[in-house]
């Protein structure tokens, strides 16, 4: 298991892309809510990515990545069909609880759209009534609409500019879902911390159980470093073993957001260096005629 | 043993202790009394025939000495560097009653290094026995267990969660004490025996212990997953930026090479005034790493005194030489915010020693009204570790009340055919105790599987004799595989 072949890649926008990676054992083991840690090359950083889909017959898992910094941009350039990842470990984290829920709203925004899909599908398979709420900036950035439609009884698409679905944030979609259905048992919200916090605040007055998937900075993902610790209900939890799913009404999101800024300076430096290297390579490529 | 000067070494990750020259080594051998009933062998958790290899060295048969050494320990260059010898083999050597004890660890390191340099490896004759054994975790316990089982002919696969093998040897102990090249070279001794190491495999999540036994065809399983989960103190301010565990810092630096950022992608932003809480080996390593990657000043904050510090003596001295400031009898009670979510200072209490506690050490008690602010912008916790919960949560393994795996004196767990040893059974201990446990479990697994030659010594002169293997008549060997009970 030293070679993790990428067998498909799709680009959803100039920052978001999908990688389908061959790993039969992981495809068999993966459950909704779990994630992997990937390494692009030997000098790389270990970065966590949610398992956005898995195909047990094909023996593959699917990752949907948003290019936000050095590593994810490097992946955007180098992870092409036919290439391989240097490291891939998982599934990690505790699987989500999807049983015994009658009606559920699955909310995905930003890099949370893909990760919420396996949960929506699992709820559906467990017989729940599933309402999907997914947010995009505009119509041409929408992806996986068909996949969501196949497992959602209702799908609310929200766009920032109103070019598709309702104009507004996913919280608007969530509000509308709660207004139309008084009997929602559970809300699952995945996306940037601000979004998850807003969703938790939206449901708090209604007393609807709201699960969020936290994304703190991780290193090993096995419970060994404590870098991923988050404050939940006044207690310290390690997101990689106790989570990543937690009850959104008890999560200290401000603490999480502060901790996500731990390495801002270094991340910026790495990004600049990467951009410079890319530029240099491009120039060199132009003069020699190769890229 | 020569060491590099403190001023020179604090800027790099090259080894601090330089090792013996041949002359030093021979001089040291001559000091050994070659006791007929050697205390040192009993003091070594893996029972190395210490006078045996010393005699060979004096005969200038270094290769032969290495063969004796590697009979009991395939990681001599590692153990020679990191064993707390003063509490083990050297601690009981009678020469130490009047003079310095024989420097067994350094001799071991010398032989281990010679073996790496000259590419010595004595492969025993291995007769396959059709048994498949799975090992979880590639730390010293797992490696030692795998080696013994491979020598007994089992088909052994080690599963490791991280992307590189070695456990604490890789991610915990820094390169200036244990270079990665040495770890690589000695792990290669183990793969050369036919052991397969599968990294990137988190057992419990990718498959369970029960699946290994019931679906994947393993006749026995050994668990050596260590006690990796770091403790925190549960005081206010613990999630501020600038507070982290020693494990995180060491992993970023040793496994992910953060010291070479941005050539390597993983950052390790270093504070200027770094306070490390704790005074064990892990604390010493964290402090010395902090110094090497850019901290201006590093402080050790410990609630007991130097006498109670659990660190290896040599490491404590090296840390002192390198200019680390020690604050004994000091305990933090709160970490203070700079207003922007970062550490500004710690609030600490002064302590004094009271009555002895259960561990026999005098219990530190706070001095009333002694609170003071300790200026620091980075707080590193090195106050011990606990059991990782993943295997406990995903299998039916019996655990004790602290979450460690319950194992009896043969290291058998509550699941038939599943054995465990090392830190995951005892709590954080030492490399060589973990190796000793791995070897003990290997012995139990051989008995469980019905493999006869469990105590055989692997001497080159015994290999290849017709009809017998390791002195045992081949016809006499009992190969009947045991069927595993539910
Ligand atoms: C459980 C979990 C699941 C995730 N799933 C996805 C996913 O499906 N798709 C996706 O695009 N992203 C996902 N992320 C976020 C992803 O890991 C980060 O975007 C990525 O690590 C950024 O690395 P970078 O070098 O490109 O950017 P950097 O410039 O290093 O960082 C950009 C931002 O990402 C965060 N980040 C940096 N390093 C890490 C790290 N090691 N672990 C976590 N966050 C980090 C920081 O807050 C930083 O502000 C997930 C994170 C977690 C914890
Ligand atoms: C910083 C530091 C310095 C130390 N210095 C010394 C020293 O100088 N001398 C000394 O004698 N001792 C020292 N020790 C203690 C010593 O390293 C440990 O006692 C020893 O490594 C324990 O060995 P082990 O095999 O039980 O576990 P570990 O070395 O912890 O190895 C366990 C391995 O199992 C893997 N693993 C865990 N869970 C899973 C899973 N579910 N699936 C797959 N793999 C898994 C881990 O990733 C790890 O690689 C030190 C410890 C630390 C932390
Ligand atoms: S392995 Fe450790 S305890 Fe055993 S002889 Fe070597 S240094 Fe001493
Ligand atoms: S106890 Fe000391 S003197 Fe005796 S054999 Fe061992 S090393 Fe030599
Ligand atoms: S990522 Fe290291 S403990 Fe969770």
């Amino acid at each position: 298991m030293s070679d993790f072949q990428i067998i498909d890649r799709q680009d959803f926008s100039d920052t978001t892309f999908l990688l389908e990676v061959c790993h039969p054992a992981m495809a068999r083991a993966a459950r909704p809510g779990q994630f992997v840690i990937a390494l692009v090359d030997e000098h790389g950083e270990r970065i966590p990515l949610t398992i956005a889909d898995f195909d047990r017959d094909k023996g593959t898992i699917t990752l949907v990545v948003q290019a936000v910094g050095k590593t994810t941009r490097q992946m955007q350039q180098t992870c092409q069909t036919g290439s391989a990842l240097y490291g891939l470990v998982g599934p990690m984290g505790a699987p989500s609880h999807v049983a015994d829920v009658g009606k559920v709203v699955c909310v995905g925004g930003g890099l949370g759209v893909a990760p919420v899909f396996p949960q929506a599908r699992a709820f559906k398979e467990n017989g729940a009534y599933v309402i999907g709420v997914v947010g995009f900036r505009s119509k041409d950035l929408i992806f996986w609409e068909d996949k969501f439609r196949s497992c959602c009884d209702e799908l609310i698409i929200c766009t920032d500019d109103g070019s598709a679905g309702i104009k507004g944030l996913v919280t608007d979609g969530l509000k509308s879902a709660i207004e139309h259905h008084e009997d929602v048992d559970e809300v699952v919200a995945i996306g940037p911390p601000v979004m998850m916090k807003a969703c938790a605040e939206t449901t708090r007055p209604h007393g609807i159980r709201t699960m969020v998937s936290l994304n703190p900075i991780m290193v090993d993902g096995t419970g060994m470093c404590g870098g991923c610790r988050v404050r939940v209900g006044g207690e310290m939890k390690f997101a990689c073993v106790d989570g990543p799913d937690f009850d959104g009404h008890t999560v200290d999101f401000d603490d999480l957001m502060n901790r996500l800024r731990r390495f801002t300076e270094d991340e910026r430096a790495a990004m600049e260096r990467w951009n410079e290297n890319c530029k240099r390579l491009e120039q060199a490529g132009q003069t020699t005629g190769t890229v | 043993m020569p060491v590099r000067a403190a001023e020179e070494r604090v800027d790099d990750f090259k080894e601090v202790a330089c090792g013996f020259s041949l002359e030093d080594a021979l001089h040291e051998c001559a000091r050994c009394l070659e006791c007929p009933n050697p205390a040192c062998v009993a003091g070594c958790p893996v029972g190395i025939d210490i006078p045996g290899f010393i005699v060979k060295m004096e005969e200038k048969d270094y290769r032969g000495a290495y063969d004796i050494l590697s009979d009991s320990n395939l990681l001599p260059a590692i153990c020679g560097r990191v064993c707390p010898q003063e509490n083990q083999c050297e601690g009981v050597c009678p020469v130490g009653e009047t003079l310095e004890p024989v420097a067994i660890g350094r001799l071991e390191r010398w032989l281990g290094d010679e073996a790496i340099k000259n590419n010595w490896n004595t492969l025993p004759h291995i007769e396959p026995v059709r048994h498949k054994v799975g090992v979880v975790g590639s730390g010293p316990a797992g490696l030692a267990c795998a080696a013994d089982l491979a020598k007994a002919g089992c088909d052994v696969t080690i599963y490791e969660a991280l992307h590189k093998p070695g456990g604490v040897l890789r991610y915990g102990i820094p390169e200036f004490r244990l270079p990665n090249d040495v770890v690589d070279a000695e792990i290669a001794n183990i793969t050369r025996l036919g052991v397969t190491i599968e990294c990137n495999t988190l057992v419990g999540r990718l498959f369970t212990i029960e699946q290994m036994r019931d679906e994947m065809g393993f006749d026995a399983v050994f668990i050596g997953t260590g006690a990796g989960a770091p403790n925190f103190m549960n005081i206010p301010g613990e999630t501020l930026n600038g507070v982290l565990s020693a494990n995180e810092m060491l992993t970023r630096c040793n496994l992910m090479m953060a010291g070479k950022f941005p050539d390597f992608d993983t950052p390790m932003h270093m504070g200027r005034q770094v306070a490390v809480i704790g005074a064990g080996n892990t604390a010493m390593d964290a402090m010395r790493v902090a110094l090497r990657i850019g901290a201006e000043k590093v402080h050790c904050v410990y609630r007991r005194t130097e006498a109670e510090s659990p660190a290896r003596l040599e490491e404590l001295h090296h840390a002192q030489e390198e200019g680390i400031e020690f604050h004994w009898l000091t305990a933090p009670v709160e970490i203070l915010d700079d207003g922007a979510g970062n550490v500004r200072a710690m609030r600490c209490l002064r302590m004094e020693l009271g009555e002895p506690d259960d561990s026999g050490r005098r219990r530190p008690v706070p001095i009333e009204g002694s609170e003071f602010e300790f200026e620091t912008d980075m707080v590193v916790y090195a106050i011990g570790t606990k059991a990782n919960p993943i295997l406990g949560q995903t299998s039916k393994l019996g655990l004790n009340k602290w979450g460690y795996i319950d194992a009896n004196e043969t290291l058998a767990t509550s699941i038939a055919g599943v054995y465990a040893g090392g830190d995951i059974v005892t709590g954080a201990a030492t490399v060589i105790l973990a190796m000793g446990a791995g070897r003990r479990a290997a012995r139990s697994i051989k008995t469980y599987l019905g493999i006869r030659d469990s105590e055989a010594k692997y001497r080159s002169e015994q290999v290849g004799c017709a009809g017998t293997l390791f002195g045992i008549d081949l016809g006499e060997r009992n190969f009947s595989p045991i069927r595993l009970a539910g």
Side-chain angles (χ1 to χ4, degrees):
Chain A
M1 260 181 243
S2 53
D3 216 8
F4 308 98
Q5 289 285 328
I6 297 169
I7 63 154
D8 191 22
R9 158 156 175 164
Q10 290 168 34
D11 282 74
F12 294 139
S13 74
D14 56 355
T15 55
T16 311
F17 56 99
L18 170 154
L19 300 175
E20 190 172 349
V21 190
C22 195
H23 198 317
M26 204 187 311
R28 254 192 321 275
R31 299 283 178 280
Q34 291 187 300
F35 63 94
V36 298
I37 284 197
L39 266 153
V40 189
D41 58 36
E42 214 179 338
H43 287 215
E45 190 172 6
R46 294 171 64 94
I47 67 159
L49 298 164
T50 307
I51 301 174
D53 200 359
F54 42 84
D55 187 327
R56 299 202 167 126
D57 300 327
K58 254 163 101 185
T60 61
I61 60 142
T62 298
L63 308 171
V64 176
V65 188
Q66 199 170 39
V68 295
K70 153 80 178 33
T71 304
T72 43
R73 290 214 197 163
Q74 185 185 354
M75 287 175 82
Q76 192 181 22
Q77 283 201 1
T78 60
C79 293
Q80 304 293 346
T81 308
S83 69
L85 292 169
Y86 167 72
L88 184 70
V89 51
M92 294 174 141
S96 310
H97 293 283
V98 290
D100 309 323
V101 175
K103 194 175 269 186
V104 61
V105 186
C106 294
V107 189
L111 48 77
V113 173
V116 87
F117 168 74
Q119 302 214 29
R121 180 173 62 188
F123 277 115
K124 186 73 214 163
E125 282 164 3
N126 272 277
Y129 185 91
V130 181
I131 305 164
V133 178
V134 285
F136 299 93
R137 274 206 321 274
S138 67
K139 183 172 187 235
D140 44 312
L141 297 177
I142 295 175
F143 64 88
W144 280 11
E145 183 176 347
D146 49 335
K147 283 182 87 145
F148 275 100
R149 291 218 184 272
S150 74
C151 67
C152 293
D153 296 280
E154 282 174 44
L155 182 67
I156 303 174
I157 293 178
C158 310
T159 50
D160 292 357
D161 59 2
S163 51
I166 63 173
K167 179 172 161 42
L169 302 171
V170 285
T171 38
D172 298 312
L174 173 60
K175 270 187 207 127
S176 131
I178 296 174
E179 273 160 26
H180 287 92
H181 300 270
E182 283 184 348
D183 52 345
V184 172
D185 299 304
E186 184 166 326
V187 171
V188 175
I190 308 183
V194 266
M195 179 216 113
M196 293 191 282
K197 184 180 181 185
C199 289
E201 290 317 316
T202 306
T203 57
R204 196 190 296 274
H206 301 273
I208 305 170
R209 182 179 141 94
T210 301
M211 296 307 286
V212 294
S213 175
L214 301 188
N215 58 344
I217 293 177
M218 295 187 174
V219 184
D220 56 300
T222 67
M224 181 265 279
C225 76
C228 64
R229 63 196 192 280
V230 288
R231 287 175 62 83
V232 179
E235 273 180 60
M236 188 194 293
K237 298 279 181 194
F238 287 5
C240 71
V241 287
D242 302 323
D245 289 358
F246 293 100
D247 175 353
H249 292 148
T250 59
V251 169
D252 184 340
F253 284 102
D254 297 331
D255 193 77
L256 173 66
M257 288 188 262
N258 180 49
R259 287 183 56 73
L260 280 170
R261 288 195 294 264
R262 276 179 74 190
F263 295 104
T264 312
E265 266 172 58
D266 309 84
E267 284 156 1
R268 198 179 301 123
M271 199 56 235
E272 275 165 18
R273 208 176 111 102
W274 170 253
N275 285 337
E276 256 166 48
N277 277 348
C278 290
K279 238 183 269 155
R280 254 209 314 278
L281 278 178
E282 219 169 85
Q283 281 162 358
Q286 271 161 6
T287 51
T288 60
T290 54
V291 180
Chain B
M1 180 166 51
V3 296
R4 294 168 60 221
E7 315 77 65
E8 177 200 325
R9 69 190 191 227
V10 292
D11 291 324
D12 65 39
F13 278 81
K14 290 199 221 99
E15 255 195 299
V16 166
C18 311
F20 273 162
S21 64
L22 176 59
E23 292 69 42
D24 295 339
L26 288 176
H27 181 255
E28 202 56 36
C29 288
R31 303 198 323 117
C32 170
L33 308 174
E34 285 149 33
C35 311
N37 216 339
C40 56
V41 177
C44 169
V46 297
I48 295 177
D49 178 3
I50 295 162
F53 84 70
I54 290 182
V55 168
K56 287 269 186 206
M57 279 184 74
E58 291 196 280
E59 292 167 3
K60 310 240 166 23
D61 177 6
Y62 307 120
R63 177 68 193 257
Y66 175 74
D67 287 346
I68 293 182
L69 178 59
S70 57
D71 256 352
S72 325
N73 184 354
L74 273 173
L75 311 176
I78 293 175
C79 293
R81 284 173 168 83
V82 303
C83 255
Q85 292 95 359
E86 66 264 31
N87 307 329
Q88 296 173 346
C89 53
E90 295 178 16
V92 292
C93 170
V95 177
E97 283 164 21
T98 46
L99 307 159
E100 283 289 299
V102 177
I104 301 164
R106 290 166 189 182
L107 290 174
E108 191 175 340
R109 168 180 168 174
W110 185 85
L111 276 174
D113 286 352
E114 281 303 289
I116 294 173
K117 208 160 62 197
N118 303 315
N119 213 3
W120 291 339
N121 48 81
T122 306
L123 280 185
H125 173 82
I126 293 177
E127 180 84 11
V129 292
R130 299 199 327 249
H131 291 296
K132 216 175 124 182
V133 181
V135 172
V136 186
S138 64
L143 291 171
C145 183
D148 278 5
L149 289 168
K151 284 178 177 176
C154 298
D155 172 7
V156 186
T157 306
I158 302 183
Y159 294 107
E160 167 58 48
L162 295 173
H163 58 280
K164 288 197 170 152
V168 173
L169 304 175
R170 175 81 59 181
Y171 76 73
I173 304 180
E175 287 221 73
F176 55 81
R177 281 215 288 138
L178 178 60
N180 280 339
D181 291 347
V182 173
V183 178
D184 287 336
E186 296 210 322
I187 289 179
N189 288 345
I190 295 186
T191 48
R192 235 180 260 120
L193 293 171
V195 173
T196 311
I197 304 183
E198 296 265 18
C199 289
N200 291 300
T201 308
L202 181 60
V203 179
R205 298 277 189 219
L206 190 61
F207 44 78
T208 61
I209 297 289
E210 282 89 346
Q211 279 176 305
M212 287 177 77
R213 208 191 49 171
D214 302 336
E215 297 169 20
M216 296 167 68
F218 288 108
D219 300 309
V221 173
F222 173 74
I223 303 174
T225 49
N231 286 330
F232 287 86
M233 289 170 78
N234 209 6
I235 59 176
E238 236 160 42
T239 53
L240 290 172
N241 290 339
V243 184
L244 71 164
S245 72
N247 268 7
E248 177 174 357
M249 183 163 123
L250 292 169
T251 305
R252 285 180 178 274
C253 295
N254 302 335
L255 177 71
M256 308 307 298
M257 313 302 281
K260 296 186 183 155
F261 179 85
D263 273 342
F264 282 73
D265 290 342
T266 304
M268 179 60 249
H269 194 80
M270 200 37 73
R272 283 185 297 115
Q273 293 285 330
V274 178
V276 176
I277 308 175
N281 280 321
T282 308
M284 299 303 143
D285 285 344
M287 292 188 283
R288 298 172 69 198
V289 164
L291 212 57
R292 282 166 174 75
I293 51 177
E296 267 169 33
K297 184 82 203 160
V298 181
H299 306 267
C300 173
V301 177
Y302 186 52
R303 63 198 175 107
R304 302 178 195 253
T305 69
E306 179 167 352
E308 284 89 22
S309 154
R312 213 174 150 239
L313 218 55
E314 190 181 346
E315 309 311 330
L316 183 64
H317 290 160
H318 284 168
Q320 283 164 336
E321 280 168 20
E322 289 171 12
I324 289 178
E325 205 169 305
F326 287 82
H327 306 261
W328 308 111
L329 293 169
T330 307
V333 287
E334 183 180 358
I335 302 169
L336 305 168
D337 193 338
D338 70 349
N342 307 308
V343 176
R344 168 177 69 79
M346 264 185 331
R347 206 191 305 286
C348 294
L349 277 178
R350 301 233 187 262
M351 314 292 276
E352 59 191 353
L353 288 183
E355 295 301 305
D357 62 11
D358 302 342
S359 70
R361 298 185 297 181
R362 289 175 67 194
R363 185 197 302 273
V365 285
I367 301 177
E368 228 171 288
S370 65
E371 251 186 44
F372 68 104
E373 266 191 28
F374 188 112
E375 227 167 280
T376 168
D377 55 352
M378 182 163 209
V379 178
V380 183
Y381 278 80
I383 51 168
T385 53
K386 52 182 185 280
N388 185 302
I390 295 178
L391 286 184
Q393 285 167 3
T394 55
S395 72
K396 295 203 175 65
L397 280 171
L399 306 179
N400 68 17
K401 65 178 170 182
W402 299 281
Y404 294 107
I405 296 178
D406 239 341
N408 66 15
E409 63 287 354
T410 67
L411 297 180
T413 67
S414 60
I415 305 180
V418 179
Y419 294 74
D423 284 4
I424 189 58
V425 170
T426 56
T430 64
V431 170
I432 196 65
L433 283 171
M435 289 184 68
R439 300 200 72 202
R440 188 139 57 94
R443 234 166 358 245
S444 304
I445 289 173
K446 285 185 274 189
T447 308
Y448 171 78
L449 295 173
I451 301 172
R452 259 288 304 271
D453 62 340
S454 63
E455 292 305 316
K457 290 273 188 222
Y458 302 89
R459 293 277 154 71
S460 49
E461 58 266 27
Q462 286 172 319
V463 175
C465 347
T468 62
L469 184 63
F470 311 125
I472 298 170
D473 191 315
L474 280 179
E476 213 189 293
R477 282 162 59 110
N478 171 6
F479 283 145
S480 66
I482 301 275
R483 279 278 39 101
L484 303 169

